Amino acid sequence: MPAMRVALMMLLALMMLKDHQANGAVPAHTQKLIHEANSNGSYLGLVIPNLFEMNPLLQHPNYTSSNFTIDFAGRRFRFGTIAEKRVILVMTGLSMINAGITTQLLLALFNIEGVVHYGIAGNANPSLNIGDVTIPQYWAHTALWNWQRHGDGPEDELALESDGDYTRDIGYIRFANYTVNKTVRKSSDNLLNNVWYQPEEVFPVYGTPENREHAFWVPVNSSYFNISKSLEGLKLEGCVNATTCLSETPKVVTVYRGTSGGIYLDNAAYRSFLYGKFNVSPVDMESASVALICLQQNIPFIAIRALSDLAGGGSAESNEASTFTSLAADNSVTVVIAFIQQLSTK
């Protein structure tokens, strides 16, 4: 009888564990692998949007795979070394939400000493060229908006502004300013009115839970940024093949600001607005999300983005994203490898 009772209790425990795992807990086998990985010490996390940006790193001679992976929540965490530094590679997928989820998983599951995010981006800065690799000092999410009702203007308080939910401090875009042939129209008004840019709500791990703070311009880690300045003379590739080359030799450049949003930006007017209003260079769909997660988790962060096109076009080769995507991805990997080599020596 006691043996039967023990067997019954064990079966009940297994059933409860299986039910618990089905509701989102980390499976026991995965927990074991995570513990094994973390027992080796800390890692540098490499957060990468897509496979075409990851593959050049996987194939790079300076990357050594440990042939150890952990699959969880639709993500694959790949382990290896670069310049004797342990790294974990993970692909996010497209967009802010995927980048945020993936970065949070990385930081929650593993012992991460810092995050390097890299990939390609559109360009808003007319002084830069395709193939250039930009390393911004600040990132912002510029697709969090308060869309003002028609008839209200810049002096009118936004809905819920008095409660501290929204602000007019950052500024706005007036759609009527972009009306085609507005000189022949009786009014330059536009039913779309104004969009006001908003900071993100953040809840830092070192703060009081549920006590919200706000962040718009998120700085990268100052030590990481100083290291990146030493890469500005790095040689980059300027040709896709023997017959397809850029007119300007690509370069590494540290810039003031970059911006992200859930928007594939291929519009010259909006590109010009973002550059004039916020002085941004790369525009992408993930970096600010990674920056915001790292800010909240108090983890050092930097983003390295290679320019694949001038958003919205403007010259003969300025918007050939499909032509120069692979070159830009390769150049971003070249800079990431050099950055980690420098970081390793520090």
Side-chain angles (χ1 to χ4, degrees):
M1 190 63 116
M4 184 179 295
R5 186 180 296 117
V6 170
L8 183 62
M9 290 176 64
M10 290 179 65
L11 178 61
L12 181 61
L14 286 171
M15 291 175 65
M16 291 175 64
L17 178 61
K18 182 178 180 181
D19 182 64
H20 187 50
Q21 290 174 357
N23 290 324
V26 181
H29 173 68
T30 305
Q31 290 185 38
K32 182 179 179 181
L33 293 175
I34 292 170
H35 176 74
E36 179 184 340
N38 288 331
S39 66
N40 293 325
S42 62
Y43 297 85
L44 187 68
L46 303 186
V47 178
I48 310 155
N50 292 297
L51 279 177
F52 72 83
E53 294 156 315
M54 179 186 287
N55 283 334
L57 180 57
L58 293 176
Q59 298 163 8
H60 199 281
N62 289 99
Y63 170 71
T64 302
S65 172
S66 66
N67 297 315
F68 179 65
T69 61
I70 298 177
D71 295 343
F72 179 67
R75 272 72 181 176
R76 172 161 291 175
F77 299 91
R78 306 168 188 262
F79 294 75
T81 57
I82 298 173
E84 300 183 354
K85 182 170 283 294
R86 288 184 296 271
V87 296
I88 301 177
L89 282 60
V90 61
M91 189 193 82
T92 68
L94 190 70
S95 84
M96 295 282 287
I97 188 167
N98 274 325
I101 290 170
T102 306
T103 305
Q104 183 62 57
L105 281 171
L106 174 73
L107 302 185
L109 296 175
F110 302 105
N111 183 5
I112 301 298
E113 65 180 60
V115 169
V116 177
H117 176 59
Y118 79 88
I120 67 169
N123 176 29
N125 185 341
S127 68
L128 299 177
N129 301 296
I130 289 178
D132 289 350
V133 177
T134 59
I135 309 174
Q137 189 174 8
Y138 296 91
W139 285 91
H141 176 205
T142 51
L144 183 59
W145 295 349
N146 183 308
W147 208 318
Q148 198 170 27
R149 70 172 59 185
H150 181 249
D152 285 354
E155 304 306 319
D156 293 302
E157 186 177 279
L158 300 176
L160 304 181
E161 184 180 0
S162 60
D163 295 331
D165 289 336
Y166 299 103
T167 177
R168 286 171 291 165
D169 290 344
I170 296 169
Y172 68 103
I173 182 172
R174 181 174 182 263
F175 286 99
N177 291 343
Y178 298 90
T179 302
V180 176
N181 296 325
K182 64 181 179 181
T183 56
V184 301
R185 296 169 62 93
K186 292 182 179 179
S187 171
S188 61
D189 197 9
N190 188 305
L191 291 174
L192 292 175
N193 203 23
N194 306 317
V195 158
W196 293 84
Y197 291 85
Q198 301 300 315
E200 286 277 1
E201 289 186 355
V202 294
F203 299 87
V205 292
Y206 47 78
T208 303
E210 299 183 350
N211 184 18
R212 66 178 179 177
E213 299 178 15
H214 291 90
F216 189 70
W217 292 113
V218 180
V220 303
N221 178 266
S222 58
S223 295
Y224 284 6
F225 190 68
N226 287 334
I227 291 172
S228 70
K229 291 178 180 178
S230 68
L231 307 177
E232 292 189 328
L234 195 65
K235 183 179 179 181
L236 299 177
E237 183 57 62
C239 295
V240 177
N241 51 47
T243 59
T244 306
C245 294
L246 294 166
S247 58
E248 297 284 339
T249 302
K251 58 187 178 299
V252 181
V253 55
T254 53
V255 296
Y256 189 38
R257 291 171 171 172
T259 180
S260 307
I263 303 163
Y264 182 87
L265 178 54
D266 194 17
N267 182 276
Y270 191 58
R271 173 199 79 209
S272 298
F273 169 81
L274 285 176
Y275 178 69
K277 178 70 176 179
F278 297 121
N279 189 21
V280 299
S281 294
V283 290
D284 66 36
M285 302 176 72
E286 296 88 18
S287 295
S289 182
V290 182
L292 284 158
I293 297 297
C294 289
L295 171 69
Q296 297 189 77
Q297 299 299 319
N298 196 29
I299 297 293
F301 157 83
I302 197 165
I304 296 169
R305 286 284 188 159
L307 306 178
S308 62
D309 62 279
L310 179 64
S315 68
E317 65 177 23
S318 64
N319 203 37
E320 300 293 338
S322 59
T323 302
F324 295 107
T325 291
S326 61
L327 182 148
D330 288 346
N331 280 348
S332 69
V333 168
T334 297
V335 177
V336 167
I337 293 290
F339 173 81
I340 296 174
Q341 288 171 335
Q342 290 292 323
L343 182 63
S344 216
T345 63
K346 303 296 182 182

Short mmCIF file of all heavy atoms in Angstrom, two decimals, residues 160-167 198-199 201 212 214:
data_model
loop_
_atom_site.label_atom_id
_atom_site.label_comp_id
_atom_site.label_asym_id
_atom_site.label_seq_id
_atom_site.Cartn_x
_atom_site.Cartn_y
_atom_site.Cartn_z
N LEU A 160 -5.73 63.83 -21.65
CA LEU A 160 -5.04 63.15 -20.54
C LEU A 160 -3.67 63.75 -20.22
O LEU A 160 -2.94 63.21 -19.40
CB LEU A 160 -4.89 61.64 -20.81
CG LEU A 160 -6.18 60.88 -21.11
CD1 LEU A 160 -5.88 59.41 -21.34
CD2 LEU A 160 -7.20 61.05 -19.99
N GLU A 161 -3.33 64.87 -20.86
CA GLU A 161 -2.04 65.50 -20.57
C GLU A 161 -1.96 65.97 -19.12
O GLU A 161 -0.90 65.87 -18.48
CB GLU A 161 -1.81 66.68 -21.52
CG GLU A 161 -0.45 67.34 -21.36
CD GLU A 161 -0.24 68.52 -22.30
OE1 GLU A 161 -1.15 68.83 -23.10
OE2 GLU A 161 0.84 69.14 -22.22
N SER A 162 -3.06 66.47 -18.59
CA SER A 162 -3.05 67.00 -17.22
C SER A 162 -2.82 65.89 -16.20
O SER A 162 -2.38 66.15 -15.08
CB SER A 162 -4.37 67.71 -16.92
OG SER A 162 -5.47 66.82 -17.06
N ASP A 163 -3.09 64.63 -16.58
CA ASP A 163 -2.86 63.49 -15.68
C ASP A 163 -1.43 62.96 -15.78
O ASP A 163 -1.07 62.01 -15.08
CB ASP A 163 -3.83 62.35 -15.99
CG ASP A 163 -5.28 62.73 -15.71
OD1 ASP A 163 -5.49 63.57 -14.81
OD2 ASP A 163 -6.18 62.22 -16.39
N GLY A 164 -0.63 63.56 -16.66
CA GLY A 164 0.76 63.13 -16.81
C GLY A 164 0.95 61.99 -17.78
O GLY A 164 2.05 61.43 -17.89
N ASP A 165 -0.11 61.63 -18.52
CA ASP A 165 0.02 60.52 -19.47
C ASP A 165 0.71 60.94 -20.76
O ASP A 165 1.38 60.14 -21.39
CB ASP A 165 -1.36 59.94 -19.79
CG ASP A 165 -1.96 59.17 -18.63
OD1 ASP A 165 -1.19 58.69 -17.79
OD2 ASP A 165 -3.19 59.04 -18.58
N TYR A 166 0.51 62.19 -21.18
CA TYR A 166 1.06 62.65 -22.45
C TYR A 166 1.69 64.03 -22.28
O TYR A 166 1.45 64.72 -21.29
CB TYR A 166 -0.03 62.67 -23.53
CG TYR A 166 -0.61 61.31 -23.78
CD1 TYR A 166 -1.87 60.96 -23.27
CD2 TYR A 166 0.10 60.36 -24.50
CE1 TYR A 166 -2.39 59.69 -23.49
CE2 TYR A 166 -0.41 59.09 -24.72
CZ TYR A 166 -1.65 58.77 -24.20
OH TYR A 166 -2.16 57.52 -24.40
N THR A 167 2.50 64.41 -23.27
CA THR A 167 3.24 65.66 -23.16
C THR A 167 3.38 66.31 -24.53
O THR A 167 3.37 65.63 -25.57
CB THR A 167 4.65 65.41 -22.57
OG1 THR A 167 5.37 66.64 -22.55
CG2 THR A 167 5.44 64.42 -23.41
N GLN A 198 5.84 61.08 -28.18
CA GLN A 198 5.75 60.76 -26.75
C GLN A 198 6.92 59.91 -26.28
O GLN A 198 7.44 59.08 -27.05
CB GLN A 198 4.44 60.01 -26.47
CG GLN A 198 3.19 60.78 -26.85
CD GLN A 198 3.06 62.10 -26.11
OE1 GLN A 198 3.28 62.15 -24.90
NE2 GLN A 198 2.72 63.16 -26.83
N PRO A 199 7.34 60.08 -25.02
CA PRO A 199 8.36 59.19 -24.45
C PRO A 199 7.73 57.86 -24.05
O PRO A 199 6.52 57.75 -23.89
CB PRO A 199 8.84 59.96 -23.22
CG PRO A 199 7.62 60.72 -22.78
CD PRO A 199 6.89 61.10 -24.06
N GLU A 201 7.05 54.81 -21.39
CA GLU A 201 7.03 54.53 -19.95
C GLU A 201 8.03 53.42 -19.67
O GLU A 201 8.05 52.41 -20.38
CB GLU A 201 5.64 54.09 -19.50
CG GLU A 201 4.61 55.19 -19.50
CD GLU A 201 3.29 54.74 -18.90
OE1 GLU A 201 3.16 53.54 -18.58
OE2 GLU A 201 2.39 55.58 -18.76
N ARG A 212 6.12 54.42 -12.59
CA ARG A 212 6.59 54.65 -13.95
C ARG A 212 7.53 55.85 -14.06
O ARG A 212 7.37 56.86 -13.38
CB ARG A 212 5.41 54.85 -14.90
CG ARG A 212 4.60 56.11 -14.63
CD ARG A 212 3.48 56.26 -15.63
NE ARG A 212 2.70 57.46 -15.35
CZ ARG A 212 1.69 57.88 -16.10
NH1 ARG A 212 1.33 57.18 -17.16
NH2 ARG A 212 1.02 58.98 -15.77
N HIS A 214 9.84 57.93 -17.42
CA HIS A 214 9.71 58.15 -18.86
C HIS A 214 11.09 58.28 -19.50
O HIS A 214 12.03 58.78 -18.87
CB HIS A 214 8.89 59.41 -19.15
CG HIS A 214 7.44 59.26 -18.81
ND1 HIS A 214 6.94 59.60 -17.56
CD2 HIS A 214 6.39 58.82 -19.54
CE1 HIS A 214 5.64 59.36 -17.53
NE2 HIS A 214 5.27 58.89 -18.73
#
